[in-house]
Amino acid sequence: MLALRLARGAHPVVLARRLLVTAASATTGFLLLCALAYALARPGGEAPAARLAWCLLPVAATVHLALAIARTDPGTRPRPGLSAIGLGPAKLALFAAATTALAALTGSLLALAVFLHLRGDLSGMPFDGAAAELTAAGRPLPLPAALTLLAVVPIAATATVALALRPRREPPATERDPDAARPTPEEPPAGLPWGVTLVALGLAAETYAAGGAALPGGLGSGRGAVLAGWVIASIGLAVAGPGLTHLSGRLLQIGRPGAARLLAGRALMAEARRIGRPLGVSAAVAAVTLDGTVLFRQEAFRPFGDLTALGATLVVLCAVATLLTAAVESRQERAPTTGTLTDLGAPAALLRTTAALRAGVLLAVFLPLTWLVAQLAALPLGR
């Protein structure tokens, strides 16, 4: 009840972000119900299972977006005095999880209403029964199965937010090691070597399988193995995101940097994990989108019709929204530093130059790399 009352009185911008979660959850829920309808219309075989597995990408994109929005929600930030009224870090994490559950559950209910309306089960509105074939209107809908699928996104998003925002227990002061190593901006996130390895492995698997050879270890051959290598390369690009962001900060500080380059580089190194993850995911989605233009020229790679375009659009929009939300979170985290620089008399032009340098070096690193990975991955896909 507290989460509902606080959510209702939130700022319009905060409400708009939560509505994004609702819209993404509704679209993902509709895709899951369409996969169920396809299975009802064509029982047996591997196609229904493939459609349901394909829906995992929109589910993951929606959960990722919900987590990013929960992190930037002002209601989840600890503030002085809240603990006195029982709203400590643990309660705020539960509030964030409850708010996410409310937004995602609303989207799932909207998906069910639209699906039933397009089936013709709900009458009296425009376009009643307009998609009877897509929704298997001629067959009874198993309500337990439909509700189970619709619960996937709310449960996954709520659990992810609760785990990510839960307060970390620190050892008592008497048990702390003052000499324990702490992460500093100079340390590389460990994901860069793994990301490069996955990209190389995926591209090699694609090239090997495209020649008609079977992958070692019983991983198959042909089109499925090519797609598997494509997915591995995309995952590697996402994993390498934080390390590439950290590397971008180092590139800005090469030589004898001035104040603007030094501030921009140190900020990127300190925020490598926070903004590097959504940057890596966005780069992977961009590479997959570029490769998708090659796949869609081949009829064999278009198994889901219009739903493929709907799911791909959802994944792209979620990736972009997550990246923008992470940028907002980074700006919030930099607010004290920005305020201190302003109080010390730093000119506004310096802050604008610093922001432009951060954006410019990220584009200079990620855009060519994304294009290169997409082009290399598209070569075997086009055969």
Side-chain angles (χ1 to χ4, degrees):
M1 183 61 68
L2 176 61
L4 181 61
R5 294 178 63 182
L6 292 178
R8 187 178 62 181
H11 192 274
V13 176
V14 178
L15 289 176
R17 293 176 190 162
R18 293 171 183 166
L19 286 177
L20 288 177
V21 178
T22 301
S25 177
T27 307
T28 304
F30 181 77
L31 290 173
L32 289 170
L33 291 177
C34 288
L36 175 62
Y38 186 87
L40 293 175
R42 301 166 182 83
E46 299 180 357
R51 284 195 172 220
L52 191 60
W54 173 80
C55 291
L56 292 178
L57 286 177
V59 170
T62 302
V63 172
H64 193 209
L65 174 64
L67 176 60
I69 289 178
R71 287 183 183 276
T72 58
D73 196 326
T76 64
R77 294 181 174 273
R79 288 185 291 272
L82 289 181
S83 297
I85 61 174
L87 289 178
K91 287 290 183 66
L92 291 177
L94 290 178
F95 163 70
T99 304
T100 302
L102 179 63
L105 185 59
T106 302
S108 294
L109 293 178
L110 286 175
L112 179 61
V114 172
F115 184 80
L116 293 177
H117 171 57
L118 293 177
R119 273 174 59 92
D121 296 339
L122 300 179
S123 58
M125 293 183 290
F127 305 105
D128 181 32
E133 182 179 356
L134 180 64
T135 56
R139 295 179 178 269
L141 180 68
L143 192 57
L147 294 180
T148 300
L149 289 177
L150 289 175
V152 169
V153 172
I155 291 176
T158 303
T160 302
V161 170
L163 289 174
L165 299 184
R166 73 187 188 281
R168 268 64 172 178
R169 289 188 177 182
E170 295 185 359
T174 56
E175 300 180 6
R176 293 177 186 170
D177 183 6
D179 298 327
R182 297 181 179 180
T184 61
E186 287 79 6
E187 298 179 0
L192 184 57
W194 287 105
V196 173
T197 302
L198 286 175
V199 170
L201 179 63
L203 294 177
E206 273 192 272
T207 306
Y208 190 72
L215 293 180
L219 297 179
S221 62
R223 187 181 67 181
V226 171
L227 288 177
W230 177 44
V231 171
I232 292 173
S234 302
I235 292 176
L237 193 56
V239 171
L244 289 173
T245 304
H246 193 275
L247 179 62
S248 301
R250 284 194 175 276
L251 291 177
L252 274 176
Q253 301 175 76
I254 290 178
R256 303 182 64 178
R261 281 205 293 143
L262 184 62
L263 287 173
R266 297 289 291 182
L268 285 179
M269 292 170 66
E271 300 171 358
R273 289 178 176 85
R274 181 180 298 112
I275 65 176
R277 293 189 185 98
L279 270 173
V281 171
S282 299
V285 170
V288 170
T289 303
L290 292 174
D291 293 338
T293 59
V294 177
L295 288 178
F296 265 67
R297 296 173 192 158
Q298 308 175 35
E299 190 66 28
F301 285 96
R302 245 184 302 179
F304 308 139
D306 294 336
L307 292 181
T308 305
L310 178 61
T313 302
L314 173 65
V315 172
V316 170
L317 293 180
C318 283
V320 173
T322 302
L323 180 58
L324 295 178
T325 304
V328 172
E329 182 186 9
S330 298
R331 184 177 181 180
Q332 292 174 350
E333 293 293 333
R334 288 196 307 269
T337 303
T338 303
T340 301
L341 290 174
T342 303
D343 294 339
L344 292 175
L350 174 63
L351 301 179
R352 289 194 296 268
T353 303
T354 302
L357 284 174
R358 286 197 303 268
V361 72
L362 289 176
L363 290 175
V365 170
F366 277 89
L367 283 183
L369 181 62
T370 302
W371 180 85
L372 178 62
V373 172
Q375 293 299 314
L376 292 176
L379 291 177
L381 294 175
R383 296 183 184 179

